[in-house]
Amino acid sequence: MATILLLAGLVWAAWATRLLLDLSKRQIVSVSLSTLVGDFVAAESRNGGTPEQTASRTAAYLAAINRSVSALGADGTTVLVTEATLGKSVPDRTELVRTEVKRALEGGHDPR
C-alpha cells in the first residue's frame, strides 16, 4: 500500500512540476488599441472615398487587428489590450500588430 501511495505521489509531483514550468514560460504583453485605431482613423480622414468604401476598409482593418491580437495569444501569451501602462515590465507588441495588419491588408484578401 505504501508503495502505491509513494508512486502516486511521485507521479503527482512530476505532473505539478511540469505544469509549473509551463506556466513560468508564459508572457504578458500589451497592445495599444487606441494608437492603432487612432492612426487608422487619421489616415482614413486624409484618404477620402465614399462612406461605403470607408466602412469596408474600417471593417477589414478591425478584423485584421482582431486576428493579429488573437494570434499573439495563441501560444498562451496574455495580451493586454488596454491603455493602462504597467511600465517597461510588459513588452509592447503594438508595432508587431501594426505590421501584421498592414501585411494582411496589402495582401489584397479580406482578413475576416
Side-chain angles (χ1 to χ4, degrees), residues 3-73:
T3 305
I4 292 174
L5 288 175
L6 179 63
L7 184 60
L10 289 173
V11 169
W12 177 83
W15 172 79
T17 301
R18 186 180 59 83
L19 183 63
L20 289 173
L21 289 175
D22 285 345
L23 288 175
S24 70
K25 294 176 188 174
R26 292 200 177 173
Q27 284 188 325
I28 298 175
V29 298
S30 68
V31 174
S32 176
L33 190 59
S34 69
T35 299
L36 292 170
V37 173
D39 292 348
F40 174 77
V41 168
E44 279 299 301
S45 68
R46 292 185 302 270
N47 190 21
T50 66
E52 292 80 18
Q53 291 170 327
T54 300
S56 175
R57 285 192 300 264
T58 301
Y61 187 79
L62 293 176
I65 286 176
N66 189 33
R67 279 195 353 210
S68 182
V69 170
S70 294
L72 277 176

Side-chain angles (χ1 to χ4, degrees), residues 88-99:
K88 297 294 182 186
S89 64
V90 178
D92 184 7
R93 298 292 189 254
T94 303
E95 288 306 313
L96 175 66
V97 170
R98 184 188 316 275
T99 302

